[in-house]
């Protein structure tokens, strides 16, 4: 066929679908919907009645639900070793702190990660990545932070990037050198931050999209995190922060002052922290897997987030110590059961708001013309089913960049 200037050009489309476009304030539901794409980008997502015609490839979705491909905006997917033995010790009565003092904890994962080659890091991360892909995840953030020296932090970032060549997935690598103090700097955390800002960030900058830090009593102080932010900004990198997980140091307000993409965890965030985040557009990333696995009882201030209009995202925090999960669908359920998110809030938290937490709002996270054609097609009649099940995966098909 020929195309006039007004004709939407497309090469494929998905018809007979229920769309949750995630546009507007809610789910953006369209009952009889069509998604059309050209060269891997969405050119139309809307009612069948207004849909363009003439695609060379049409898929009848038989009434299934289409959402944007899911986005896991906070993971430590690349790491070596397992901490199942530490979990067993905790079940026998040992505390997380006792285990850390005995050489376990983050440092045990650091040792295993330092000992692994880049290829081994890729190989061990792939089954975890595949589990997320099987649930319709099309974009993932992956942090460094278990190397804790320049060479090993770079190795982790290269492994994260290499995963994008192994599978059809978008990977956003984040530099998290300020995750924990390596044993060789014990007692001198300022000297380690000197290394992070003076050597690691300058060399890691070409490999990372953002810089993160762990702002906590057992991590780094707000003053140290601010030094990390300044170095990130000097290298043109976005910032984000692990904040208010175990105590209220107001790292989330600090992150907001620096225009951070997100502040993550937030169980101990105060009303003022949340107000600052909302005003700055800093996304509140909630991590129900860590809350659950650590048997945390302090709930993140979801009501304040609603009241101030802070955008909420949720993620797996996939890591061997505090959130050994590779199920974003389970996080959807947990965000509802544990934190009280609604179906619309939960689904926006793994699509449009997760995209914002990665600075990718123009690229992914909604079904609308101009975005990448990343789709999750579900054997589900309605969006509630994605939040309702515990440990069941209703994915029918996953489409990344139109394929
Ligand atoms: N917060 C966490 O929960 C993880 N990192 C962080 O900054 C813990 C990571 C680990 O125990 O390996
Ligand atoms: Fe984390």
């Amino acid at each position: 066929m020929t195309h006039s200037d007004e004709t939407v050009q497309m090469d494929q489309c998905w018809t007979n679908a229920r769309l949750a476009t995630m546009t507007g304030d809610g789910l953006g539901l369209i009952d009889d919907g069509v998604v059309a794409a050209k060269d891997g980008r969405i050119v139309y997502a809307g009612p069948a009645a207004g849909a363009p015609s003439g695609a060379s490839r049409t898929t009848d979705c038989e009434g299934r639900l289409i959402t944007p491909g899911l986005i896991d905006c906070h993971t430590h997917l690349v790491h070596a070793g397992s901490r199942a033995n530490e979990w067993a010790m905790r079940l026998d009565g040992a505390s997380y702190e006792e285990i850390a003092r005995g050489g376990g904890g983050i440092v045990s994962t650091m040792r295993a990660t330092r000992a692994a080659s880049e290829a081994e890091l890729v190989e061990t991360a792939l089954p975890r990545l595949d589990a997320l892909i099987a649930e319709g995840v099309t974009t993932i953030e992956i942090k460094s932070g278990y190397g804790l020296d320049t060479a090993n932090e770079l190795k982790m970032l290269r492994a994260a990037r290499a995963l994008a060549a192994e599978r059809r997935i978008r990977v956003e690598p984040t530099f998290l050198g300020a995750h924990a103090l390596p044993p060789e700097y014990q007692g001198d955390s300022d000297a380690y931050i000197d290394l992070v800002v003076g050597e690691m960030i300058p060399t890691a900058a070409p490999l990372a999209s953002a810089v993160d830090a762990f702002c906590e009593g057992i991590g780094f102080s707000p003053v140290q995190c601010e030094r990390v932010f300044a170095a990130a900004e000097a290298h043109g990198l976005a910032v984000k922060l692990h904040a208010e997980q175990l105590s209220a140091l107001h790292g989330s307000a600090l992150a907001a002052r620096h225009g951070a993409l997100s502040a993550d965890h937030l169980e101990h965030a105060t009303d003022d922290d949340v107000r600052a985040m909302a005003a700055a557009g800093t996304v509140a990333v909630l991590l129900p897997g860590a809350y659950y696995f650590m048997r945390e009882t302090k709930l993140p201030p979801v009501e304040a987030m609603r009241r101030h209009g802070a955008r909420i995202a949720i993620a797996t925090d996939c890591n061997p110590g505090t959130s050994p999960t590779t199920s974003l669908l389970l996080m959807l359920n947990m965000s509802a059961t544990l934190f009280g998110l609604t179906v619309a809030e939960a689904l926006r938290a793994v699509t449009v708001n997760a995209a914002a937490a990665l600075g990718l709002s123009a690229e992914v996270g909604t079904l609308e013309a101009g975005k990448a054609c990343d789709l999750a097609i579900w054997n589900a009649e309605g969006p509630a089913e994605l939040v309702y099940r515990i440990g069941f995966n209703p994915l029918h098909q996953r489409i990344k960049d139109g394929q």
Side-chain angles (χ1 to χ4, degrees):
M1 67 176 279
T2 57
H3 298 281
S4 71
D5 283 351
E6 298 80 44
T7 308
V8 175
Q9 296 198 18
M10 61 171 167
D11 46 33
Q12 55 182 326
C13 72
W14 291 263
T15 62
N16 194 14
R18 190 150 192 230
L19 309 184
T21 62
M22 304 297 165
T23 54
D25 291 338
L27 292 162
L29 280 183
I30 294 168
D31 276 332
D32 183 12
V34 167
V35 177
K38 180 162 175 41
D39 300 330
R41 314 289 297 194
I42 296 172
V43 292
Y44 177 85
S53 59
S56 52
R57 203 145 46 90
T58 298
T59 304
D60 180 350
C61 295
E62 300 171 326
R64 293 186 178 89
L65 174 71
I66 303 184
T67 66
L70 303 189
I71 300 170
D72 193 352
C73 68
H74 178 142
T75 87
H76 307 253
L77 192 89
V78 168
H79 59 262
S82 163
R83 307 241 292 273
N85 58 331
E86 293 181 12
W87 173 235
M89 286 162 67
R90 278 172 61 196
L91 294 176
D92 286 337
S95 73
Y96 191 70
E97 291 71 25
E98 279 164 2
I99 291 166
R101 276 200 300 278
I106 291 181
V107 169
S108 79
T109 302
M110 178 210 76
R111 271 195 227 96
T113 302
R114 285 183 178 179
S117 67
E118 182 187 322
E120 285 165 345
L121 290 179
V122 171
E123 200 180 308
T124 53
L126 273 174
R128 295 188 282 268
L129 185 62
D130 285 338
L132 288 164
I133 285 172
E135 291 188 341
V137 171
T138 49
T139 297
I140 183 173
E141 186 255 17
I142 302 178
K143 301 176 195 296
S144 67
Y146 289 117
L148 307 181
D149 64 26
T150 305
N152 284 298
E153 285 294 306
L154 293 176
K155 179 178 74 181
M156 286 191 74
L157 291 173
R158 283 195 304 267
R161 297 170 74 91
L163 286 167
E166 297 284 330
R167 296 292 186 270
R168 286 187 298 111
I169 190 156
R170 180 173 186 141
V171 174
E172 290 294 307
T174 297
F175 170 74
L176 177 59
H179 187 199
L181 195 60
E184 59 272 21
Y185 280 87
Q186 229 27 265
D188 197 354
S189 59
D190 281 332
Y192 180 64
I193 295 296
D194 288 344
L195 179 75
V196 168
V197 305
E199 182 177 296
M200 289 190 188
I201 289 176
T203 46
L207 298 176
S209 305
V211 171
D212 193 351
F214 187 29
C215 186
E216 194 56 68
I218 60 164
F220 297 94
S221 71
V223 169
Q224 291 171 327
C225 292
E226 194 150 30
R227 290 185 62 203
V228 172
F229 284 175
E233 285 152 10
H235 287 85
L237 294 170
V239 297
K240 39 182 56 228
L241 196 65
H242 283 70
E244 271 67 75
Q245 181 184 8
L246 308 170
S247 59
L249 299 183
H250 309 297
S252 47
L254 170 72
R257 282 201 295 283
H258 283 263
L261 292 174
S262 71
D264 305 38
H265 283 289
L266 302 174
E267 281 85 342
H268 294 263
T270 64
D271 202 73
D272 284 346
D273 294 333
V274 173
R275 185 186 295 111
M277 291 176 64
T282 297
V283 177
V285 177
L286 305 183
L287 305 168
Y291 174 92
Y292 166 82
F293 194 70
M294 298 304 284
R295 296 187 179 135
E296 178 60 66
T297 53
K298 179 87 171 71
L299 284 164
V302 168
E303 199 44 57
M305 291 167 190
R306 289 182 180 129
R307 191 162 17 91
H308 293 300
R311 289 174 294 179
I312 298 173
I314 60 180
T316 61
D317 193 17
C318 173
N319 81 69
T322 63
S323 189
T325 179
T326 48
S327 176
L328 194 55
L329 288 173
L330 182 59
M331 298 307 103
L332 281 178
N333 178 272
M334 283 188 179
S335 75
T337 53
L338 300 175
F339 298 163
L341 264 56
T342 65
V343 167
E345 285 172 336
L347 287 172
R348 290 178 68 80
V350 294
T351 54
V352 61
N353 291 350
L358 297 177
L360 295 178
S361 294
E363 281 293 307
V364 293
T366 61
L367 302 180
E368 61 189 319
K371 301 261 176 110
C373 185
D374 293 354
L375 314 177
I377 307 175
W378 307 94
N379 287 314
E381 283 179 11
E385 286 180 51
L386 304 183
V387 182
Y388 161 65
R389 299 277 170 194
I390 304 172
F392 177 74
N393 179 3
L395 188 76
H396 171 68
Q397 204 185 356
R398 169 190 180 272
I399 306 291
K400 173 79 190 116
D401 296 321
Q403 290 177 24

